[in-house]
Amino acid sequence: MSATVSIPTILRTHTGGEKQVKADGSTLQEVITDLEANHPGIKDRLVTDGALHRFVNVYVNDEDVRFAGGLDAQVPDGGTVTILPAVAGGR
Amino acid sequence: MLVIRADLVEEMVAHARRDHPREACGQLLGPEESDRPERYVPMTNADDAEARGSDYRFDSREQFAVHKQAMANDEEPVVVFHSHTRVPRRPLTDSGLPEAYPSVKDIEYMGLQPGVHFAIVALTGPDAEPDLRSFLLDDAGEVVEDEVQVVENYMFSHTGAADVPPVAALAPDVPDRS
């Protein structure tokens, strides 16, 4: 079960500058574990206290995983995982 | 420096006026690595602090849709925009305007997008005079004000060093928050 993971600029220091990398797993949790094995340090940028970090948005195919089970979201074989920086602010 | 077409500034300001007193937000896309904003994409403010009207967050699904479209067009976000709509409790500028300066929360999120200009339009009311400023994080993670040059079109804009007036002549004083 392999997925293509799209990496935002801010996290490419972990992937040697690559915009897209492959990772194995059938859930987002497993994909992130596999990412961490090949790109150490990336997990801490995505997950905090067992949940997705508020600074990132993660999408499996076209759906925001916050609406699809979070880290338990299913990742279909050949699917696409897209990571984007959250854009927010205010006083 | 942020060099930006006047019509794009007008679109941002018009959006800020429409949404006042809520914070408006959007992004300006341009060709990859061009540093040249070409089109304004207004974004839905999905922050749940609507009653306070003092925060913004891009709607994540809408952000993804814009991202996909941008990728297909070889575009990227050049500028992230939001408005500040409230007079601060503790005035930080002499102008009496809500200061167009990044908040602590703004700065946290700015760090996620290196190289992107963060434009803020401060607007005290829907018909008030807008105050546009732009900021970047430097390599040390410190906020630096980014001079804004508004041009009619990019073809005739001159941005070479010799054409740039001294920064002190254009950039308003940034309040010292250290």
Side-chain angles (χ1 to χ4, degrees):
Chain A
M1 300 290 269
S2 177
T4 301
V5 185
S6 174
I7 307 289
T9 310
I10 186 74
L11 297 182
R12 289 182 198 155
T13 49
H14 296 283
T15 60
E18 291 296 321
K19 291 182 181 180
Q20 289 197 333
V21 297
K22 294 279 184 193
D24 293 336
S26 56
T27 65
L28 182 59
Q29 179 91 57
E30 291 172 11
V31 166
I32 291 174
T33 300
D34 191 53
L35 268 182
E36 175 69 16
N38 294 304
H39 309 287
I42 200 165
K43 185 178 177 182
D44 281 351
R45 309 294 296 275
L46 303 175
V47 177
T48 179
D49 294 331
L52 281 174
H53 204 290
R54 67 190 164 97
F55 289 137
V56 292
N57 296 333
V58 180
Y59 309 84
V60 172
N61 292 341
D62 285 356
E63 182 58 299
D64 182 339
V65 299
R66 288 199 174 87
F67 305 102
L71 290 169
D72 296 326
Q74 298 293 310
V75 179
D77 193 24
T80 303
V81 175
T82 304
I83 304 165
L84 292 182
V87 182
R91 281 166 209 292
Chain B
M1 170 172 355
L2 171 62
V3 180
I4 182 170
R5 286 201 325 258
D7 61 297
L8 296 173
V9 173
E10 283 169 22
E11 284 192 71
M12 287 193 295
V13 170
H15 187 191
R17 291 192 194 287
R18 275 199 307 277
D19 284 12
H20 194 280
R22 290 203 67 197
E23 288 196 7
C25 57
Q27 49 188 329
L28 290 146
L29 302 181
E32 277 180 11
E33 299 186 21
S34 67
D35 203 31
R36 194 177 71 237
E38 289 286 2
R39 63 188 182 103
Y40 178 60
V41 182
M43 300 294 290
T44 302
N45 182 353
D47 192 89
D48 51 16
E50 181 163 5
R52 298 204 307 273
S54 61
D55 285 296
Y56 81 99
R57 173 176 286 272
F58 281 8
D59 177 272
S60 64
R61 286 162 158 161
E62 186 180 52
Q63 185 187 353
F64 185 69
V66 173
H67 168 78
K68 278 213 305 190
Q69 195 185 62
M71 295 290 279
N73 294 340
D74 294 323
E75 293 173 301
E76 65 185 4
V78 178
V79 179
V80 167
F81 153 74
H82 75 284
S83 62
H84 280 181
T85 58
R86 309 213 308 183
V87 179
R89 264 175 257 121
R90 183 164 53 86
L92 292 160
T93 63
D94 296 330
S95 63
L97 295 168
E99 88 284 21
Y101 192 84
S103 67
V104 172
K105 186 173 169 189
D106 291 339
I107 294 165
E108 257 184 343
Y109 282 88
M110 283 171 73
L112 304 176
Q113 296 195 85
V116 172
H117 305 267
F118 282 77
I120 299 175
V121 169
L123 197 67
T124 46
D127 301 316
E129 192 65 27
D131 180 17
L132 166 68
R133 298 201 201 179
S134 175
F135 301 86
L136 286 168
L137 288 191
D138 66 14
D139 293 339
E142 296 293 321
V143 177
V144 288
E145 184 157 4
D146 190 23
E147 183 193 324
V148 179
Q149 186 180 20
V150 180
V151 297
E152 286 308 309
N153 63 60
Y154 297 130
M155 197 183 302
F156 299 110
S157 70
H158 298 285
T159 57
D163 300 312
V164 179
V167 172
L170 287 179
D173 289 337
V174 176
D176 181 7
R177 304 241 170 145
S178 57

